[in-house]
Short mmCIF file of all heavy atoms in Angstrom, two decimals:
data_model
loop_
_atom_site.label_atom_id
_atom_site.label_comp_id
_atom_site.label_asym_id
_atom_site.label_seq_id
_atom_site.Cartn_x
_atom_site.Cartn_y
_atom_site.Cartn_z
N ALA A 1 0.82 -1.17 0.04
CA ALA A 1 0.05 0.03 0.04
C ALA A 1 0.84 1.30 0.03
O ALA A 1 0.48 2.25 -0.67
CB ALA A 1 -0.89 -0.02 1.26
N ALA A 2 2.01 1.29 0.72
CA ALA A 2 2.78 2.45 0.88
C ALA A 2 3.37 2.89 -0.46
O ALA A 2 3.23 4.08 -0.95
CB ALA A 2 3.91 2.31 1.86
N PRO A 3 4.08 2.00 -1.26
CA PRO A 3 4.57 2.42 -2.52
C PRO A 3 3.44 2.76 -3.49
O PRO A 3 3.61 3.71 -4.31
CB PRO A 3 5.42 1.20 -3.01
CG PRO A 3 5.01 0.07 -2.15
CD PRO A 3 4.55 0.64 -0.87
N ALA A 4 2.44 1.95 -3.48
CA ALA A 4 1.25 2.33 -4.35
C ALA A 4 0.72 3.73 -4.05
O ALA A 4 0.43 4.49 -5.00
CB ALA A 4 0.16 1.24 -4.16
N PHE A 5 0.63 4.08 -2.77
CA PHE A 5 0.17 5.44 -2.41
C PHE A 5 1.08 6.50 -2.95
O PHE A 5 0.67 7.54 -3.42
CB PHE A 5 0.01 5.52 -0.86
CG PHE A 5 -0.45 6.91 -0.40
CD1 PHE A 5 -1.76 7.24 -0.53
CD2 PHE A 5 0.48 7.79 0.08
CE1 PHE A 5 -2.19 8.54 -0.09
CE2 PHE A 5 0.15 9.02 0.50
CZ PHE A 5 -1.22 9.33 0.44
N LEU A 6 2.40 6.29 -2.82
CA LEU A 6 3.36 7.28 -3.24
C LEU A 6 3.21 7.44 -4.80
O LEU A 6 3.41 8.61 -5.27
CB LEU A 6 4.79 6.83 -2.95
CG LEU A 6 5.21 7.02 -1.51
CD1 LEU A 6 6.68 6.64 -1.32
CD2 LEU A 6 5.02 8.49 -1.04
N ILE A 7 2.94 6.34 -5.49
CA ILE A 7 2.70 6.52 -6.95
C ILE A 7 1.62 7.41 -7.26
O ILE A 7 1.55 8.31 -8.02
CB ILE A 7 2.58 5.14 -7.59
CG1 ILE A 7 3.93 4.40 -7.61
CG2 ILE A 7 2.10 5.32 -9.11
CD1 ILE A 7 3.82 3.00 -8.04
N VAL A 8 0.42 7.03 -6.51
CA VAL A 8 -0.87 7.69 -6.75
C VAL A 8 -0.76 9.28 -6.40
O VAL A 8 -1.11 10.10 -7.18
CB VAL A 8 -1.96 7.04 -5.98
CG1 VAL A 8 -3.24 7.89 -5.98
CG2 VAL A 8 -2.28 5.67 -6.49
N ILE A 9 -0.25 9.53 -5.28
CA ILE A 9 -0.22 10.93 -4.84
C ILE A 9 1.04 11.72 -5.46
O ILE A 9 0.97 12.85 -5.64
CB ILE A 9 -0.08 10.95 -3.30
CG1 ILE A 9 -0.44 12.36 -2.76
CG2 ILE A 9 1.23 10.64 -2.80
CD1 ILE A 9 -1.98 12.71 -3.05
N GLY A 10 2.04 10.93 -5.78
CA GLY A 10 3.32 11.52 -6.35
C GLY A 10 3.07 12.19 -7.71
O GLY A 10 3.65 13.20 -8.04
N MET A 11 2.29 11.52 -8.58
CA MET A 11 2.04 12.05 -9.90
C MET A 11 1.48 13.48 -9.96
O MET A 11 2.07 14.36 -10.55
CB MET A 11 1.16 11.10 -10.75
CG MET A 11 1.86 9.84 -11.02
SD MET A 11 0.92 8.78 -12.14
CE MET A 11 1.83 7.25 -12.16
N PRO A 12 0.33 13.70 -9.24
CA PRO A 12 -0.15 15.18 -9.31
C PRO A 12 0.71 16.10 -8.40
O PRO A 12 0.84 17.28 -8.94
CB PRO A 12 -1.59 15.01 -8.64
CG PRO A 12 -1.51 13.80 -7.88
CD PRO A 12 -0.62 12.86 -8.58
N LEU A 13 1.32 15.63 -7.34
CA LEU A 13 2.12 16.51 -6.50
C LEU A 13 3.44 16.94 -7.24
O LEU A 13 3.94 18.07 -6.99
CB LEU A 13 2.35 16.02 -5.19
CG LEU A 13 1.11 15.77 -4.27
CD1 LEU A 13 1.48 15.39 -2.87
CD2 LEU A 13 0.32 17.15 -4.23
N THR A 14 4.06 16.02 -7.96
CA THR A 14 5.29 16.42 -8.71
C THR A 14 5.02 16.85 -10.08
O THR A 14 5.94 17.26 -10.76
CB THR A 14 6.24 15.18 -8.76
OG1 THR A 14 5.51 14.12 -9.57
CG2 THR A 14 6.57 14.66 -7.38
N TYR A 15 3.76 16.81 -10.58
CA TYR A 15 3.41 17.16 -11.88
C TYR A 15 4.12 16.35 -12.91
O TYR A 15 4.51 16.80 -13.94
CB TYR A 15 3.57 18.62 -12.11
CG TYR A 15 2.51 19.20 -13.09
CD1 TYR A 15 1.15 19.45 -12.57
CD2 TYR A 15 2.82 19.49 -14.40
CE1 TYR A 15 0.28 20.00 -13.47
CE2 TYR A 15 1.88 19.98 -15.25
CZ TYR A 15 0.62 20.32 -14.73
OH TYR A 15 -0.33 20.82 -15.63
N SER A 16 4.36 15.04 -12.62
CA SER A 16 5.04 14.18 -13.45
C SER A 16 4.71 12.74 -13.26
O SER A 16 4.76 12.25 -12.16
CB SER A 16 6.57 14.37 -13.27
OG SER A 16 7.29 13.30 -13.92
N ILE A 17 4.33 12.02 -14.34
CA ILE A 17 4.04 10.62 -14.20
C ILE A 17 5.28 9.76 -13.83
O ILE A 17 5.34 8.97 -12.96
CB ILE A 17 3.48 10.08 -15.61
CG1 ILE A 17 2.08 10.65 -15.80
CG2 ILE A 17 3.39 8.56 -15.59
CD1 ILE A 17 1.55 10.32 -17.17
N ALA A 18 6.43 10.16 -14.50
CA ALA A 18 7.73 9.47 -14.25
C ALA A 18 8.15 9.57 -12.84
O ALA A 18 8.59 8.70 -12.19
CB ALA A 18 8.82 9.94 -15.17
N ASP A 19 8.06 10.86 -12.24
CA ASP A 19 8.48 11.08 -10.88
C ASP A 19 7.64 10.36 -9.85
O ASP A 19 8.12 9.77 -8.84
CB ASP A 19 8.42 12.58 -10.53
CG ASP A 19 9.49 13.41 -11.22
OD1 ASP A 19 10.36 12.70 -11.85
OD2 ASP A 19 9.45 14.56 -11.16
N GLY A 20 6.29 10.25 -10.11
CA GLY A 20 5.42 9.43 -9.21
C GLY A 20 5.71 8.02 -9.22
O GLY A 20 5.83 7.38 -8.21
N ILE A 21 6.05 7.42 -10.46
CA ILE A 21 6.44 6.06 -10.56
C ILE A 21 7.76 5.91 -9.79
O ILE A 21 8.00 4.84 -9.08
CB ILE A 21 6.55 5.71 -12.05
CG1 ILE A 21 5.19 5.67 -12.73
CG2 ILE A 21 7.29 4.31 -12.16
CD1 ILE A 21 5.21 5.37 -14.16
N ALA A 22 8.72 6.80 -9.94
CA ALA A 22 10.03 6.64 -9.30
C ALA A 22 9.89 6.53 -7.83
O ALA A 22 10.50 5.64 -7.15
CB ALA A 22 10.85 7.87 -9.60
N LEU A 23 8.99 7.34 -7.16
CA LEU A 23 8.86 7.29 -5.70
C LEU A 23 8.39 5.92 -5.22
O LEU A 23 8.90 5.39 -4.30
CB LEU A 23 7.84 8.34 -5.27
CG LEU A 23 8.34 9.81 -5.54
CD1 LEU A 23 7.17 10.80 -5.11
CD2 LEU A 23 9.52 10.17 -4.69
N GLY A 24 7.41 5.35 -5.97
CA GLY A 24 6.91 4.03 -5.56
C GLY A 24 7.80 2.87 -5.89
O GLY A 24 7.97 2.00 -5.11
N PHE A 25 8.49 2.98 -6.99
CA PHE A 25 9.45 1.92 -7.40
C PHE A 25 10.69 1.86 -6.47
O PHE A 25 11.29 0.78 -6.28
CB PHE A 25 9.89 2.11 -8.84
CG PHE A 25 8.84 1.61 -9.83
CD1 PHE A 25 7.50 1.62 -9.59
CD2 PHE A 25 9.27 1.22 -11.02
CE1 PHE A 25 6.57 1.15 -10.46
CE2 PHE A 25 8.32 0.63 -11.96
CZ PHE A 25 7.02 0.74 -11.72
N ILE A 26 11.06 3.03 -5.98
CA ILE A 26 12.19 3.00 -4.99
C ILE A 26 11.81 2.40 -3.66
O ILE A 26 12.54 1.62 -3.10
CB ILE A 26 12.71 4.47 -4.81
CG1 ILE A 26 13.37 4.97 -6.06
CG2 ILE A 26 13.66 4.53 -3.63
CD1 ILE A 26 13.72 6.45 -5.97
N LEU A 27 10.60 2.65 -3.24
CA LEU A 27 10.10 2.19 -1.90
C LEU A 27 9.74 0.78 -1.97
O LEU A 27 9.94 -0.06 -0.93
CB LEU A 27 8.92 3.03 -1.45
CG LEU A 27 8.38 2.68 0.00
CD1 LEU A 27 9.45 2.85 1.07
CD2 LEU A 27 7.17 3.49 0.26
N TYR A 28 9.13 0.22 -3.11
CA TYR A 28 8.63 -1.09 -3.14
C TYR A 28 9.65 -2.23 -2.74
O TYR A 28 9.35 -3.07 -1.86
CB TYR A 28 8.05 -1.44 -4.48
CG TYR A 28 7.45 -2.77 -4.69
CD1 TYR A 28 6.31 -3.08 -4.13
CD2 TYR A 28 8.21 -3.71 -5.44
CE1 TYR A 28 5.74 -4.39 -4.24
CE2 TYR A 28 7.66 -5.06 -5.61
CZ TYR A 28 6.42 -5.31 -5.02
OH TYR A 28 5.92 -6.66 -5.16
N PRO A 29 10.82 -2.20 -3.28
CA PRO A 29 11.79 -3.29 -2.89
C PRO A 29 12.22 -3.17 -1.46
O PRO A 29 12.43 -4.23 -0.78
CB PRO A 29 12.96 -3.02 -3.84
CG PRO A 29 12.51 -2.25 -4.98
CD PRO A 29 11.35 -1.41 -4.40
N ILE A 30 12.20 -2.00 -0.90
CA ILE A 30 12.63 -1.78 0.44
C ILE A 30 11.54 -2.39 1.45
O ILE A 30 11.84 -3.05 2.37
CB ILE A 30 12.78 -0.32 0.73
CG1 ILE A 30 13.98 0.28 -0.08
CG2 ILE A 30 13.05 -0.04 2.19
CD1 ILE A 30 14.15 1.76 -0.03
N THR A 31 10.30 -2.01 1.19
CA THR A 31 9.20 -2.48 2.13
C THR A 31 9.03 -4.04 2.00
O THR A 31 8.76 -4.72 2.99
CB THR A 31 7.84 -1.76 1.85
OG1 THR A 31 7.52 -1.90 0.43
CG2 THR A 31 7.93 -0.38 2.16
#
């Protein structure tokens, strides 16, 4: 849920699809 949430909220807040994906993809292997 945490990396998924970062992807969802990251896209509009960073105004970038790629940046939102980046936040979630970095966290997913860690969690």
Side-chain angles (χ1 to χ4, degrees):
F5 177 78
L6 282 185
I7 290 173
V8 172
I9 199 68
M11 289 184 188
L13 292 186
T14 62
Y15 213 76
S16 167
I17 293 174
D19 289 351
I21 291 175
L23 296 176
F25 279 29
I26 290 170
L27 182 61
Y28 179 74
I30 296 173
T31 54

